[in-house]
Amino acid sequence: MRLSEITNYLESIAPLNYQEDYDNSGLIVGDPNMEVRAALVALDCVEKIVDEAISTGCNLIITHHPIVFKGLKKLNGKNYVERVVLKAIKNNVALYAIHTNLDSVHTGVNARICETLGLSGIKVLSPKSGLLKKLVTFCPQAQAEQLRSALFYAGAGNIGNYSEASFNAEGFGTFKANENANPFVGEKGAQHHESELRIEVVFPVQAERKILLALFENHPYEEVAYDIYKLENKHQQVGSGMLGWLEYDMEAYDFLHMVKDRMQAKVVRYTSVLPKRIKKVAVCGGSGSFLLKEAIAAGADAFITADFKYHEFFDAEEKIMIADIGHFETEQFTSNLLVEIIQKKFTNFAIRLTEQNTNPINYLF
């Protein structure tokens, strides 16, 4: 199949506009029209991953972390980033990364952590704003159902666990067609009153083009009246970190041992054990110290993440227990998640999970 078929599907699950500003998710090396024989999935794209792809006949590598994170000014192989890119190009291997956009979706990296820890009632810890818009249009009542259905099919009207959500209000519109018009109703040169419905639907910003195409193709009027508003509402299913509840509250040390075991962590760095049991838990795959205030404000008893600096541990201020289990450890199940996502859509596509451990950190016990 074509590379674009796979990348378009992945971006329908985790749209690129959900990634953080500093990130570089998406197709890094490769032609979208190239034929893909097989794909290798890994957390990191390092030289041994490219070698594994070549040796196993995979001409696509899908990783969580992008190999090119900052701008490249030269390609002469002086560091591992340049060597990986050069080797991939030389061997016609495409490189694709799905990073903070997969972190941000409610079925992504953090959901997999919650699943591994047995958390229920999960929700996004810090939802993002600026990802939603509202369409308002006015349509004759007889054609309103067809128009609504088209807008829903294009991706409008999804709010949390609900779909086909809209607001409709009755009213009437006025217009007068000039001699060059071809009015759907009314007469040229005469003001016309038409019973209409005001239809309002919310949609994700990345669907705007599809929404407008659906509007223009299914609205009966020659000139379509509509408004698009930017919403400040936070998208409750897109954002950073997640929050969930254990089935039973636990003593702090029992909880830490459970986390270490289930997350296959070699080491757990944690703050003072507080005189309360653990029930509500915040998580963030990768570097999550920026979410500490949100975790405290949400009333979490513990926060599972990675990459806390020494002085940042003090910021817990005995309001929450921080458990830093390591960057690789929080995200190591992401590769399995990606394989499952792709196999669900492309059941006959050859996809391999890497046999390499790309964690650059070793531990001395």
Side-chain angles (χ1 to χ4, degrees), residues 248-304:
Y248 305 104
D249 58 1
M250 301 179 67
E251 292 288 350
Y253 287 114
D254 292 336
F255 172 75
L256 289 171
H257 282 291
M258 182 273 287
V259 171
K260 184 175 185 292
D261 178 59
R262 294 193 182 184
M263 297 301 295
Q264 300 175 23
K266 300 292 192 301
V267 173
V268 178
R269 299 191 302 153
Y270 60 96
T271 51
S272 299
V273 173
L274 305 179
K276 62 178 178 178
R277 295 172 69 87
I278 307 299
K279 177 69 172 180
K280 185 187 285 190
V281 180
V283 307
C284 180
S287 304
S289 61
F290 69 101
L291 287 173
L292 179 59
K293 289 183 179 179
E294 284 81 356
I296 293 172
D301 302 312
F303 182 27
I304 312 301

Tab-separated table of all heavy atoms in Angstrom, residues 248-304:
chain	number	residue	atom	x	y	z
A	248	TYR	N	-9.149	0.047	44.332
A	248	TYR	CA	-9.136	0.142	45.791
A	248	TYR	C	-8.009	1.084	46.200
A	248	TYR	O	-6.955	1.127	45.561
A	248	TYR	CB	-8.895	-1.225	46.439
A	248	TYR	CG	-9.868	-2.299	46.008
A	248	TYR	CD1	-9.472	-3.270	45.100
A	248	TYR	CD2	-11.163	-2.332	46.513
A	248	TYR	CE1	-10.365	-4.257	44.694
A	248	TYR	CE2	-12.060	-3.310	46.120
A	248	TYR	CZ	-11.665	-4.279	45.204
A	248	TYR	OH	-12.539	-5.238	44.809
A	249	ASP	N	-8.227	1.823	47.290
A	249	ASP	CA	-7.132	2.670	47.769
A	249	ASP	C	-6.020	1.781	48.329
A	249	ASP	O	-6.262	0.664	48.778
A	249	ASP	CB	-7.613	3.694	48.799
A	249	ASP	CG	-8.269	3.062	50.007
A	249	ASP	OD1	-8.344	1.816	50.077
A	249	ASP	OD2	-8.714	3.801	50.893
A	250	MET	N	-4.789	2.291	48.272
A	250	MET	CA	-3.620	1.494	48.633
A	250	MET	C	-2.700	2.276	49.550
A	250	MET	O	-2.641	3.513	49.493
A	250	MET	CB	-2.833	1.102	47.362
A	250	MET	CG	-3.613	0.316	46.340
A	250	MET	SD	-2.601	-0.070	44.870
A	250	MET	CE	-1.388	-1.202	45.575
A	251	GLU	N	-1.963	1.563	50.384
A	251	GLU	CA	-0.869	2.176	51.134
A	251	GLU	C	0.191	2.627	50.137
A	251	GLU	O	0.381	1.992	49.088
A	251	GLU	CB	-0.262	1.177	52.112
A	251	GLU	CG	-1.179	0.776	53.259
A	251	GLU	CD	-1.365	1.903	54.275
A	251	GLU	OE1	-0.641	2.924	54.184
A	251	GLU	OE2	-2.234	1.758	55.149
A	252	ALA	N	0.872	3.709	50.467
A	252	ALA	CA	1.808	4.318	49.523
A	252	ALA	C	2.884	3.344	49.037
A	252	ALA	O	3.165	3.257	47.836
A	252	ALA	CB	2.460	5.543	50.152
A	253	TYR	N	3.487	2.598	49.942
A	253	TYR	CA	4.562	1.696	49.531
A	253	TYR	C	4.034	0.533	48.692
A	253	TYR	O	4.691	0.091	47.743
A	253	TYR	CB	5.337	1.187	50.754
A	253	TYR	CG	6.233	2.229	51.374
A	253	TYR	CD1	5.990	2.713	52.657
A	253	TYR	CD2	7.324	2.748	50.657
A	253	TYR	CE1	6.808	3.688	53.215
A	253	TYR	CE2	8.137	3.717	51.214
A	253	TYR	CZ	7.873	4.189	52.493
A	253	TYR	OH	8.680	5.161	53.041
A	254	ASP	N	2.845	0.058	49.009
A	254	ASP	CA	2.237	-0.979	48.182
A	254	ASP	C	1.969	-0.441	46.775
A	254	ASP	O	2.168	-1.141	45.773
A	254	ASP	CB	0.928	-1.468	48.803
A	254	ASP	CG	1.154	-2.237	50.096
A	254	ASP	OD1	2.267	-2.782	50.270
A	254	ASP	OD2	0.226	-2.290	50.922
A	255	PHE	N	1.520	0.789	46.732
A	255	PHE	CA	1.258	1.426	45.438
A	255	PHE	C	2.541	1.562	44.628
A	255	PHE	O	2.576	1.246	43.432
A	255	PHE	CB	0.626	2.801	45.664
A	255	PHE	CG	0.495	3.627	44.416
A	255	PHE	CD1	-0.486	3.346	43.471
A	255	PHE	CD2	1.368	4.692	44.179
A	255	PHE	CE1	-0.594	4.111	42.312
A	255	PHE	CE2	1.260	5.459	43.034
A	255	PHE	CZ	0.284	5.170	42.100
A	256	LEU	N	3.610	2.029	45.266
A	256	LEU	CA	4.880	2.203	44.554
A	256	LEU	C	5.407	0.871	44.020
A	256	LEU	O	5.909	0.800	42.891
A	256	LEU	CB	5.913	2.843	45.486
A	256	LEU	CG	5.678	4.317	45.834
A	256	LEU	CD1	6.636	4.761	46.929
A	256	LEU	CD2	5.835	5.200	44.592
A	257	HIS	N	5.289	-0.187	44.801
A	257	HIS	CA	5.732	-1.503	44.332
A	257	HIS	C	4.871	-1.989	43.165
A	257	HIS	O	5.384	-2.606	42.225
A	257	HIS	CB	5.700	-2.511	45.487
A	257	HIS	CG	6.857	-2.396	46.427
A	257	HIS	ND1	8.148	-2.728	46.071
A	257	HIS	CD2	6.927	-1.967	47.725
A	257	HIS	CE1	8.960	-2.529	47.089
A	257	HIS	NE2	8.247	-2.059	48.105
A	258	MET	N	3.575	-1.709	43.225
A	258	MET	CA	2.689	-2.077	42.126
A	258	MET	C	3.077	-1.345	40.853
A	258	MET	O	3.140	-1.935	39.765
A	258	MET	CB	1.241	-1.765	42.505
A	258	MET	CG	0.206	-2.165	41.441
A	258	MET	SD	-0.086	-0.871	40.183
A	258	MET	CE	-1.027	0.341	41.126
A	259	VAL	N	3.342	-0.052	40.961
A	259	VAL	CA	3.749	0.750	39.803
A	259	VAL	C	5.060	0.217	39.235
A	259	VAL	O	5.196	0.044	38.009
A	259	VAL	CB	3.882	2.236	40.193
A	259	VAL	CG1	4.523	3.031	39.057
A	259	VAL	CG2	2.518	2.825	40.544
A	260	LYS	N	6.023	-0.028	40.085
A	260	LYS	CA	7.323	-0.529	39.639
A	260	LYS	C	7.176	-1.852	38.889
A	260	LYS	O	7.800	-2.068	37.846
A	260	LYS	CB	8.257	-0.712	40.836
A	260	LYS	CG	9.684	-1.131	40.488
A	260	LYS	CD	10.545	-1.158	41.749
A	260	LYS	CE	11.999	-1.462	41.424
A	260	LYS	NZ	12.201	-2.829	40.928
A	261	ASP	N	6.324	-2.717	39.405
A	261	ASP	CA	6.141	-4.030	38.798
A	261	ASP	C	5.400	-3.931	37.462
A	261	ASP	O	5.862	-4.457	36.446
A	261	ASP	CB	5.368	-4.926	39.764
A	261	ASP	CG	5.107	-6.303	39.178
A	261	ASP	OD1	6.085	-6.998	38.836
A	261	ASP	OD2	3.927	-6.684	39.049
A	262	ARG	N	4.267	-3.254	37.460
A	262	ARG	CA	3.452	-3.207	36.246
A	262	ARG	C	4.091	-2.386	35.132
A	262	ARG	O	3.920	-2.695	33.949
A	262	ARG	CB	2.055	-2.657	36.560
A	262	ARG	CG	1.245	-3.569	37.455
A	262	ARG	CD	-0.205	-3.148	37.473
A	262	ARG	NE	-0.992	-4.002	38.370
A	262	ARG	CZ	-2.308	-3.895	38.523
A	262	ARG	NH1	-2.995	-2.990	37.837
A	262	ARG	NH2	-2.935	-4.695	39.357
A	263	MET	N	4.816	-1.345	35.499
A	263	MET	CA	5.472	-0.502	34.501
A	263	MET	C	6.883	-0.992	34.175
A	263	MET	O	7.598	-0.357	33.411
A	263	MET	CB	5.517	0.950	34.989
A	263	MET	CG	4.154	1.595	35.175
A	263	MET	SD	3.145	1.648	33.665
A	263	MET	CE	4.126	2.749	32.636
A	264	GLN	N	7.277	-2.105	34.776
A	264	GLN	CA	8.578	-2.709	34.513
A	264	GLN	C	9.711	-1.699	34.690
A	264	GLN	O	10.645	-1.600	33.885
A	264	GLN	CB	8.608	-3.306	33.101
A	264	GLN	CG	7.566	-4.392	32.885
A	264	GLN	CD	7.516	-4.905	31.470
A	264	GLN	OE1	8.492	-4.794	30.714
A	264	GLN	NE2	6.387	-5.460	31.076
A	265	ALA	N	9.600	-0.931	35.759
A	265	ALA	CA	10.601	0.101	36.055
A	265	ALA	C	11.746	-0.486	36.863
A	265	ALA	O	11.534	-1.304	37.760
A	265	ALA	CB	9.955	1.251	36.821
A	266	LYS	N	12.954	-0.092	36.543
A	266	LYS	CA	14.122	-0.547	37.291
A	266	LYS	C	14.258	0.222	38.597
A	266	LYS	O	14.700	-0.315	39.601
A	266	LYS	CB	15.388	-0.344	36.446
A	266	LYS	CG	15.398	-1.104	35.134
A	266	LYS	CD	15.492	-2.595	35.359
A	266	LYS	CE	15.804	-3.335	34.081
A	266	LYS	NZ	14.809	-3.134	33.011
A	267	VAL	N	13.889	1.504	38.555
A	267	VAL	CA	14.061	2.399	39.705
A	267	VAL	C	12.842	3.309	39.791
A	267	VAL	O	12.301	3.723	38.767
A	267	VAL	CB	15.333	3.256	39.552
A	267	VAL	CG1	15.415	4.309	40.651
A	267	VAL	CG2	16.588	2.383	39.578
A	268	VAL	N	12.420	3.627	41.010
A	268	VAL	CA	11.372	4.621	41.216
A	268	VAL	C	11.926	5.696	42.148
A	268	VAL	O	12.335	5.408	43.270
A	268	VAL	CB	10.110	4.004	41.845
A	268	VAL	CG1	9.058	5.097	42.094
A	268	VAL	CG2	9.537	2.919	40.952
A	269	ARG	N	11.982	6.903	41.681
A	269	ARG	CA	12.371	8.042	42.518
A	269	ARG	C	11.065	8.685	42.998
A	269	ARG	O	10.215	9.034	42.183
A	269	ARG	CB	13.191	9.048	41.720
A	269	ARG	CG	14.502	8.483	41.151
A	269	ARG	CD	15.376	9.614	40.602
A	269	ARG	NE	14.695	10.392	39.574
A	269	ARG	CZ	14.960	11.673	39.309
A	269	ARG	NH1	15.873	12.321	40.019
A	269	ARG	NH2	14.310	12.296	38.347
A	270	TYR	N	10.935	8.879	44.312
A	270	TYR	CA	9.660	9.390	44.811
A	270	TYR	C	9.882	10.363	45.958
A	270	TYR	O	10.918	10.355	46.627
A	270	TYR	CB	8.747	8.243	45.250
A	270	TYR	CG	9.298	7.372	46.349
A	270	TYR	CD1	8.954	7.599	47.681
A	270	TYR	CD2	10.157	6.312	46.072
A	270	TYR	CE1	9.444	6.801	48.701
A	270	TYR	CE2	10.661	5.501	47.078
A	270	TYR	CZ	10.306	5.752	48.391
A	270	TYR	OH	10.797	4.958	49.401
A	271	THR	N	8.874	11.177	46.184
A	271	THR	CA	8.924	12.156	47.260
A	271	THR	C	8.422	11.512	48.559
A	271	THR	O	8.116	10.324	48.592
A	271	THR	CB	8.058	13.380	46.920
A	271	THR	OG1	6.755	12.938	46.538
A	271	THR	CG2	8.670	14.185	45.787
A	272	SER	N	8.316	12.312	49.589
A	272	SER	CA	7.907	11.802	50.903
A	272	SER	C	6.566	11.078	50.817
A	272	SER	O	5.662	11.493	50.087
A	272	SER	CB	7.773	12.958	51.897
A	272	SER	OG	9.013	13.621	52.046
A	273	VAL	N	6.470	9.995	51.578
A	273	VAL	CA	5.210	9.260	51.669
A	273	VAL	C	4.289	10.025	52.610
A	273	VAL	O	4.642	10.310	53.761
A	273	VAL	CB	5.448	7.831	52.175
A	273	VAL	CG1	4.125	7.130	52.435
A	273	VAL	CG2	6.274	7.051	51.158
A	274	LEU	N	3.109	10.362	52.125
A	274	LEU	CA	2.185	11.184	52.898
A	274	LEU	C	1.276	10.305	53.762
A	274	LEU	O	1.060	9.126	53.449
A	274	LEU	CB	1.343	12.039	51.946
A	274	LEU	CG	2.147	12.918	50.977
A	274	LEU	CD1	1.219	13.693	50.058
A	274	LEU	CD2	3.058	13.870	51.749
A	275	PRO	N	0.727	10.865	54.819
A	275	PRO	CA	-0.140	10.077	55.716
A	275	PRO	C	-1.541	9.895	55.139
A	275	PRO	O	-2.549	10.235	55.770
A	275	PRO	CB	-0.150	10.924	56.995
A	275	PRO	CG	0.015	12.324	56.501
A	275	PRO	CD	0.966	12.227	55.332
A	276	LYS	N	-1.614	9.397	53.926
A	276	LYS	CA	-2.917	9.096	53.319
A	276	LYS	C	-2.727	7.970	52.312
A	276	LYS	O	-1.632	7.730	51.792
A	276	LYS	CB	-3.501	10.323	52.629
A	276	LYS	CG	-2.679	10.874	51.469
A	276	LYS	CD	-3.391	12.063	50.820
A	276	LYS	CE	-2.560	12.648	49.680
A	276	LYS	NZ	-3.263	13.781	49.022
A	277	ARG	N	-3.802	7.271	52.033
A	277	ARG	CA	-3.764	6.179	51.082
A	277	ARG	C	-3.912	6.729	49.661
A	277	ARG	O	-4.407	7.848	49.455
A	277	ARG	CB	-4.877	5.171	51.394
A	277	ARG	CG	-4.661	4.487	52.749
A	277	ARG	CD	-5.851	3.647	53.140
A	277	ARG	NE	-5.995	2.464	52.288
A	277	ARG	CZ	-5.380	1.303	52.512
A	277	ARG	NH1	-4.570	1.173	53.559
A	277	ARG	NH2	-5.580	0.269	51.718
A	278	ILE	N	-3.468	5.935	48.690
A	278	ILE	CA	-3.487	6.364	47.299
A	278	ILE	C	-4.737	5.832	46.612
A	278	ILE	O	-5.003	4.636	46.623
A	278	ILE	CB	-2.229	5.859	46.555
A	278	ILE	CG1	-0.946	6.260	47.300
A	278	ILE	CG2	-2.225	6.383	45.123
A	278	ILE	CD1	-0.743	7.739	47.437
A	279	LYS	N	-5.495	6.722	46.019
A	279	LYS	CA	-6.706	6.340	45.291
A	279	LYS	C	-6.776	7.040	43.924
A	279	LYS	O	-6.975	6.415	42.905
A	279	LYS	CB	-7.938	6.700	46.122
A	279	LYS	CG	-9.271	6.410	45.445
A	279	LYS	CD	-9.550	4.926	45.308
A	279	LYS	CE	-10.972	4.681	44.805
A	279	LYS	NZ	-11.280	3.255	44.647
A	280	LYS	N	-6.632	8.374	43.920
A	280	LYS	CA	-6.687	9.149	42.678
A	280	LYS	C	-5.266	9.367	42.169
A	280	LYS	O	-4.402	9.861	42.902
A	280	LYS	CB	-7.374	10.499	42.910
A	280	LYS	CG	-7.570	11.311	41.635
A	280	LYS	CD	-8.105	12.714	41.918
A	280	LYS	CE	-9.562	12.696	42.276
A	280	LYS	NZ	-10.122	14.089	42.321
A	281	VAL	N	-5.023	9.000	40.915
A	281	VAL	CA	-3.661	8.993	40.375
A	281	VAL	C	-3.599	9.789	39.073
A	281	VAL	O	-4.421	9.595	38.174
A	281	VAL	CB	-3.183	7.547	40.116
A	281	VAL	CG1	-1.773	7.543	39.553
A	281	VAL	CG2	-3.272	6.720	41.385
A	282	ALA	N	-2.600	10.675	38.968
A	282	ALA	CA	-2.320	11.399	37.723
A	282	ALA	C	-1.126	10.738	37.045
A	282	ALA	O	-0.207	10.260	37.715
A	282	ALA	CB	-2.022	12.864	38.014
A	283	VAL	N	-1.143	10.707	35.715
A	283	VAL	CA	-0.032	10.123	34.967
A	283	VAL	C	0.316	11.021	33.790
A	283	VAL	O	-0.528	11.755	33.282
A	283	VAL	CB	-0.365	8.704	34.445
A	283	VAL	CG1	-0.846	7.808	35.573
A	283	VAL	CG2	-1.402	8.753	33.331
A	284	CYS	N	1.572	10.928	33.358
A	284	CYS	CA	2.005	11.595	32.133
A	284	CYS	C	3.203	10.848	31.575
A	284	CYS	O	4.230	10.725	32.248
A	284	CYS	CB	2.376	13.057	32.385
A	284	CYS	SG	2.931	13.915	30.878
A	285	GLY	N	3.062	10.332	30.364
A	285	GLY	CA	4.179	9.673	29.728
A	285	GLY	C	5.272	10.666	29.374
A	285	GLY	O	4.996	11.792	28.965
A	286	GLY	N	6.522	10.262	29.564
A	286	GLY	CA	7.640	11.147	29.254
A	286	GLY	C	7.850	12.202	30.319
A	286	GLY	O	7.605	11.985	31.506
A	287	SER	N	8.293	13.376	29.899
A	287	SER	CA	8.627	14.464	30.833
A	287	SER	C	7.364	15.183	31.272
A	287	SER	O	6.786	15.957	30.501
A	287	SER	CB	9.585	15.451	30.157
A	287	SER	OG	10.739	14.786	29.696
A	288	GLY	N	6.947	14.978	32.513
A	288	GLY	CA	5.660	15.515	32.938
A	288	GLY	C	5.700	16.507	34.075
A	288	GLY	O	4.648	16.845	34.626
A	289	SER	N	6.871	17.028	34.422
A	289	SER	CA	6.936	17.933	35.570
A	289	SER	C	6.096	19.190	35.371
A	289	SER	O	5.627	19.789	36.348
A	289	SER	CB	8.386	18.321	35.864
A	289	SER	OG	8.973	18.992	34.761
A	290	PHE	N	5.855	19.573	34.129
A	290	PHE	CA	5.081	20.783	33.848
A	290	PHE	C	3.613	20.628	34.277
A	290	PHE	O	2.873	21.616	34.355
A	290	PHE	CB	5.156	21.133	32.357
A	290	PHE	CG	4.429	20.181	31.450
A	290	PHE	CD1	3.175	20.499	30.952
A	290	PHE	CD2	4.998	18.969	31.086
A	290	PHE	CE1	2.495	19.618	30.115
A	290	PHE	CE2	4.338	18.088	30.244
A	290	PHE	CZ	3.077	18.416	29.766
A	291	LEU	N	3.194	19.390	34.565
A	291	LEU	CA	1.808	19.133	34.942
A	291	LEU	C	1.619	18.988	36.452
A	291	LEU	O	0.518	18.654	36.896
A	291	LEU	CB	1.300	17.856	34.262
A	291	LEU	CG	1.021	17.942	32.768
A	291	LEU	CD1	0.698	16.561	32.215
A	291	LEU	CD2	-0.119	18.906	32.486
A	292	LEU	N	2.648	19.226	37.235
A	292	LEU	CA	2.541	19.005	38.668
A	292	LEU	C	1.432	19.852	39.291
A	292	LEU	O	0.638	19.351	40.100
A	292	LEU	CB	3.878	19.297	39.355
A	292	LEU	CG	3.887	19.123	40.879
A	292	LEU	CD1	3.515	17.689	41.259
A	292	LEU	CD2	5.244	19.496	41.455
A	293	LYS	N	1.346	21.120	38.950
A	293	LYS	CA	0.315	21.984	39.531
A	293	LYS	C	-1.077	21.487	39.176
A	293	LYS	O	-1.994	21.521	40.004
A	293	LYS	CB	0.503	23.425	39.057
A	293	LYS	CG	1.725	24.122	39.639
A	293	LYS	CD	1.814	25.565	39.174
A	293	LYS	CE	3.031	26.264	39.780
A	293	LYS	NZ	3.147	27.675	39.322
A	294	GLU	N	-1.247	21.018	37.936
A	294	GLU	CA	-2.557	20.496	37.521
A	294	GLU	C	-2.907	19.228	38.289
A	294	GLU	O	-4.066	19.017	38.660
A	294	GLU	CB	-2.570	20.222	36.009
A	294	GLU	CG	-2.683	21.453	35.139
A	294	GLU	CD	-1.369	22.181	34.938
A	294	GLU	OE1	-0.360	21.763	35.552
A	294	GLU	OE2	-1.358	23.152	34.158
A	295	ALA	N	-1.889	18.375	38.513
A	295	ALA	CA	-2.135	17.143	39.268
A	295	ALA	C	-2.549	17.458	40.699
A	295	ALA	O	-3.462	16.829	41.254
A	295	ALA	CB	-0.886	16.265	39.252
A	296	ILE	N	-1.895	18.439	41.318
A	296	ILE	CA	-2.252	18.842	42.684
A	296	ILE	C	-3.649	19.449	42.707
A	296	ILE	O	-4.479	19.126	43.559
A	296	ILE	CB	-1.210	19.836	43.236
A	296	ILE	CG1	0.144	19.143	43.419
A	296	ILE	CG2	-1.694	20.444	44.562
A	296	ILE	CD1	1.279	20.090	43.786
A	297	ALA	N	-3.933	20.340	41.744
A	297	ALA	CA	-5.242	20.999	41.692
A	297	ALA	C	-6.368	19.996	41.473
A	297	ALA	O	-7.498	20.200	41.951
A	297	ALA	CB	-5.254	22.046	40.580
A	298	ALA	N	-6.073	18.903	40.763
A	298	ALA	CA	-7.085	17.875	40.502
A	298	ALA	C	-7.313	16.976	41.707
A	298	ALA	O	-8.196	16.115	41.683
A	298	ALA	CB	-6.668	17.039	39.294
A	299	GLY	N	-6.502	17.143	42.754
A	299	GLY	CA	-6.665	16.344	43.958
A	299	GLY	C	-6.048	14.969	43.880
A	299	GLY	O	-6.423	14.067	44.640
A	300	ALA	N	-5.079	14.791	42.971
A	300	ALA	CA	-4.425	13.489	42.837
A	300	ALA	C	-3.588	13.187	44.074
A	300	ALA	O	-2.940	14.075	44.639
A	300	ALA	CB	-3.550	13.465	41.589
A	301	ASP	N	-3.604	11.933	44.468
A	301	ASP	CA	-2.784	11.501	45.605
A	301	ASP	C	-1.357	11.196	45.172
A	301	ASP	O	-0.425	11.298	45.971
A	301	ASP	CB	-3.387	10.246	46.239
A	301	ASP	CG	-4.815	10.468	46.697
A	301	ASP	OD1	-5.059	11.485	47.367
A	301	ASP	OD2	-5.683	9.633	46.360
A	302	ALA	N	-1.192	10.803	43.901
A	302	ALA	CA	0.125	10.472	43.379
A	302	ALA	C	0.207	10.891	41.917
A	302	ALA	O	-0.808	10.964	41.222
A	302	ALA	CB	0.404	8.977	43.511
A	303	PHE	N	1.424	11.155	41.467
A	303	PHE	CA	1.669	11.579	40.094
A	303	PHE	C	2.787	10.719	39.529
A	303	PHE	O	3.924	10.775	40.000
A	303	PHE	CB	2.048	13.062	40.069
A	303	PHE	CG	2.273	13.632	38.681
A	303	PHE	CD1	1.654	13.097	37.561
A	303	PHE	CD2	3.105	14.734	38.500
A	303	PHE	CE1	1.852	13.624	36.299
A	303	PHE	CE2	3.319	15.274	37.247
A	303	PHE	CZ	2.690	14.718	36.142
A	304	ILE	N	2.470	9.913	38.513
A	304	ILE	CA	3.436	9.014	37.885
A	304	ILE	C	3.914	9.628	36.581
A	304	ILE	O	3.120	9.879	35.667
A	304	ILE	CB	2.795	7.638	37.572
A	304	ILE	CG1	2.028	7.105	38.782
A	304	ILE	CG2	3.856	6.659	37.102
A	304	ILE	CD1	2.856	6.937	40.013
